[in-house]
Amino acid sequence: MATNDALLAARGLTDAEGLLLSAEGPLADLQRRCGGHIPGLIAIPELLDLVKQAGTMGLSIAREFTAFDGDERVSGFIRIRPQTDGADTSDSYEVLIENWKRESFEIEDAEQAELGDAVDRAAAEFLARLDAQQCIRAFSSTGEDLVGLDAAIRAQPGQNWTDYIELQGVAHRQPLHWRLLDGVECVVPGSERKWKVRLLPIGSANLNPTGFELLLVAEQPREPAKTPGSSDERSQPSIIGSALTPALREPITRIIGNAETIRGKLAGPVREEYSEYAGDIAAAGQHLMSLLDDLADMEAVEADDFAVDLQKVDLTEVAKRAVAMLSQRAQEKNIAIAGPPETAEKHALADLRRVLQIVINLVGNAIAYSPEGSSITLEIARDKQARVCISVADQGPGLDADKQDRIFNKFERLGRDDESGSGLGLYISRKLAHAMEGELMVESAEGEGAKFTLALQPAGQPS
C-alpha cells in the first residue's frame, strides 16, 4: 500500500534487533527525548516491541501507535515493513509514521495511582530522597540483601541513583525523564531477588519536580529472620505465600495491565461501552490482587516462624507518611486529617514496615467509614503501662459492644454488602501488633465514632 506523503510525519530505518539506523522528523526527536541516540538501540519501548515483532515474523506491521516521551503522549499510525533490494531481502525495516499527534499526559485515575503509590511505599525495602537531578541525598534500607547497595552509596555518596544498580530493559544513559524510569525492573548487586523501581516526584509532577522519592520494591518478600530455637520448616505448609501468590500475581498483573490498556484506548480506538467493561475488569483485578495480598499476609502472620525486625521507630514519621499516602482519598470525601504534634514520646520498638501497614489500614478504614465533611485525628501518647501508643480516631457510626468484640475476627466485615475489603485487615493488624509485643485495641460507642490504638513497647529516648 502506498504511503500518503501529505500525511507522513516521520520516517526511519531499523534492523531486526531494534537498532535505529536513521531517523528524521519527530521520530528522531522522540528517540533523543527518550534518552537514545542515532544510530543506537530504539529508546521508545513501544516502538522497539513493534520492530522486534516485525523482525520475528518477517512481516509488515500496520497499526495505531502510542508512546510517551516523558512529558507528553504521542500517537499516530505506524507502518513497519521489510526492505527489499531486488531478489534479496535485507534485515532492515522501514518505519513510517502518519498522523503524528502530541497531547498532554494526565493520570486518568488519580485515586488508583495514589493507592498504588501507597502500597509500594509500604512494601519498599529501600527508600531514598533524591534531588532534582536524581542524585541521592538521604536513604534508608531494611533488606538484609541490600547491604552491598548500602555500602556502595556510603562509599561514594551523592551520585545518581542509577550508578548503584543495573536497570533492565533500559539501554540508555542518564539523564532520562523520570516517567521513563518509574516502574522499570532492576538488579541490585548482592541480591538475588528481582526489584521494581518507583520514582515519585516531590512538588509538581507536570512541571519540574524539586526532587524525588526513590523506592525499591522486591517481587518476592524477604525471608523473615530466624529466631533462636525456631524450626527451619513451618508447622503447616505454605499454600498462599509460597505457592499461589507467585503463580497468580503475574497473570493477574497481566490482566490488569491489558484491561487498563483497553480502558485507556492505548492500543487503538474501542467503543465506549467496551472501555467501561475494561475498567470493570481492571477494578476486579485490583480487588483480587488485594485479596491475594491479604491472604498471603494472613498466612505469614499465622506461621509458627513468623518474625518481625524490631528497631527504633519514630511513630510521628509513620503517621506523617500514612497521612500523606491517603490524603487524596480523604480530600475526595472532604475529610480533614489532623496528624499528631511533635512529641518526645514518639519512639517505639517495632518493625517500621509493619507499623506503617497497620496505621495505613486504620486511617484507610477511618476514611471509608467516616461521613463527608468529618475529621480524623491521629495522636501519640503513653498509656498507663508506659507503652508508646498511636491512635486513630474518626467520627463515623461507631461500634457497639458486640461489634467491638467481633471486629478483629478473621473475615469479619460487619455486615457490609459492598465488594470492598476482605475482612482481614484488622485481623492481620492485631496479629502484627502481637508479633511486635504490642496490642491493637478499639474504644467506641454506637453513633460516637471509633478510636483504634496501637500500643508498642518504648524504645527509649532518641540519642
Side-chain angles (χ1 to χ4, degrees), residues 374-390:
S374 62
S375 63
I376 297 170
T377 304
L378 282 75
E379 296 180 346
I380 297 175
R382 290 217 181 202
D383 65 7
K384 295 180 180 179
Q385 302 177 43
R387 297 178 299 185
V388 183
C389 303
I390 179 169

Side-chain angles (χ1 to χ4, degrees), residues 184-196:
V184 303
E185 294 182 354
C186 72
V187 173
V188 178
S191 174
E192 296 182 356
R193 293 186 288 170
K194 296 180 180 180
W195 296 83
K196 179 182 72 173

Side-chain angles (χ1 to χ4, degrees), residues 16 96 133 148 162 171-172 207 214 218 231 283 316 319-320 326 330 342 344 347 374 403 405 409 431 442 461:
L96 304 171
Q133 286 71 45
T162 57
H172 310 288
L207 298 176
L214 170 65
S231 170
T316 302
K320 289 179 179 178
L326 299 173
E342 286 289 341
H347 290 87
S374 62
K403 289 181 178 179
D405 289 338
N409 292 345
K431 285 283 190 179
V442 61
Q461 296 295 328

Side-chain angles (χ1 to χ4, degrees), residues 280-294:
D280 292 340
I281 293 171
Q286 293 286 359
H287 176 66
L288 183 58
M289 185 72 82
S290 176
L291 177 59
L292 186 64
D293 289 339
D294 284 347

Side-chain angles (χ1 to χ4, degrees), residues 115 117-123 318-319 321-323 325-326 329 353-367 378 392 429:
L115 179 59
D117 292 347
V119 171
D120 285 338
R121 281 193 183 98
V318 169
R321 288 174 63 180
V323 170
M325 292 175 189
L326 299 173
R329 194 188 306 177
R353 176 168 165 262
R354 296 304 189 178
V355 170
L356 183 59
Q357 180 179 347
I358 294 172
V359 176
I360 287 174
N361 180 261
L362 297 181
V363 177
N365 285 347
I367 294 172
L378 282 75
V392 178
S429 293

Side-chain angles (χ1 to χ4, degrees), residues 291-320:
L291 177 59
L292 186 64
D293 289 339
D294 284 347
L295 290 172
D297 269 344
M298 180 191 70
E299 183 179 73
V301 299
E302 290 181 340
D304 291 339
D305 60 354
F306 177 73
V308 291
D309 182 16
L310 297 180
Q311 55 186 290
K312 180 187 283 187
V313 173
D314 186 336
L315 295 184
T316 302
E317 288 302 315
V318 169
K320 289 179 179 178

